[in-house]
Amino acid sequence: DAAGVIRVPFPPQQTVSFGIMVRASGRVPVLLQSAKSAGGDFARELEAKLERGVRMGGVVNDPAGRPIAEAEVLIHSITRNGPREFTRLDYDTARMGTDGKWSSESVPAGVDAVAFEVSHPEFRAMLFTRGKSNDLSAGMVSESDLAAGKAVIALPAALRVVGTVLGYNGRAIKGVEIQIVDTSRPDFRRPVPCDDAGKFSFAVPQPGDITLMIQA
């Protein structure tokens, strides 16, 4: 509300732990979490102090050096908590305008292992880390360029698949439904538009095997 208060209802008898991510534009997100101890209860009032982070930014281009509009940069870090335990924290999702530029102030100072997952439906998604030099082939973006808002990231074009769905008589079928099925994640499906002439077109963001499920 106007006083900055967030009320979160929960079933007290069934809840044994919780985690709440608090975000605001231009601020470092804060994770509030707690677990019940034997015979204890949760603190009913928690305070999240959102500080301004380190400003960083740049531009996302296509292979020809032209800015890519409406690309996304997901900024995150992965912290090792134990021999086989890791925690990922997503700081911000910066979206480009028509000029391909992005900026963020949601990463706290002192965090070294910052990664940038850059994606767009028409291009291959790429993962970059912040480093001392600029070496895109090694997946590294210069720390000084990021701080100056001049980091240049180039995305390679995605493979585009174009086809036509026809009946046994060679004629187009109306009302065709096409979905991309991820072979490694059968529960993940992405719809593909298909017009009344049976024509469809889609971009594959990453190399590998894909499966098309076609229904009519």
Side-chain angles (χ1 to χ4, degrees):
D1 57 22
V5 177
I6 301 174
R7 292 175 174 82
V8 182
F10 67 95
Q13 299 298 327
Q14 292 81 15
T15 305
V16 296
S17 65
F18 70 84
I20 302 174
M21 180 67 74
V22 186
R23 299 180 182 277
S25 177
R27 303 280 177 169
V28 177
V30 171
L31 177 62
L32 303 176
Q33 51 189 352
S34 180
K36 270 186 182 177
S37 58
D41 197 1
F42 299 120
R44 295 307 176 98
E45 291 188 8
L46 300 170
E47 184 180 18
K49 295 182 178 180
L50 304 185
E51 300 177 352
R52 287 201 177 275
V54 178
R55 185 172 179 82
M56 57 181 62
V59 63
V60 178
N61 292 335
D62 63 12
R66 296 169 297 205
I68 300 175
E70 299 180 359
E72 289 187 354
V73 178
L74 174 59
I75 309 170
H76 68 274
S77 68
I78 298 178
T79 305
R80 187 187 184 101
N81 303 326
R84 297 183 180 179
E85 185 180 353
F86 298 86
T87 299
R88 168 168 164 161
L89 179 58
D90 292 347
Y91 295 110
D92 194 8
T93 300
R95 293 174 173 84
M96 264 95 292
T98 56
D99 56 0
K101 293 183 179 180
W102 66 275
S103 64
S104 175
E105 293 182 65
S106 297
V107 179
V111 177
D112 296 326
V114 179
F116 307 87
E117 189 175 327
V118 189
S119 62
H120 187 279
E122 297 297 321
F123 297 85
R124 281 182 56 188
M126 300 292 288
L127 181 66
F128 300 92
T129 57
R130 184 172 60 178
K132 298 299 181 183
S133 60
N134 225 2
D135 188 356
L136 297 182
S137 61
M140 188 177 298
V141 183
S142 166
E143 183 177 0
S144 58
D145 287 351
L146 284 167
K150 300 187 296 184
V152 179
I153 297 175
L155 292 184
L159 175 67
R160 176 158 290 279
V161 178
V162 180
T164 307
V165 180
L166 302 175
Y168 284 110
N169 57 6
R171 298 176 182 175
I173 305 173
K174 292 185 178 181
V176 174
E177 293 183 4
I178 304 177
Q179 289 183 326
I180 300 175
V181 181
D182 191 328
T183 53
S184 61
R185 293 172 50 198
D187 59 319
F188 176 77
R189 297 180 179 182
R190 190 179 103 200
V192 175
C194 184
D195 62 19
D196 289 340
K199 297 184 181 299
F200 64 89
S201 173
F202 64 91
V204 183
Q206 294 293 347
D209 296 334
I210 61 169
T211 300
L212 287 182
M213 186 173 70
I214 304 174
Q215 295 175 303

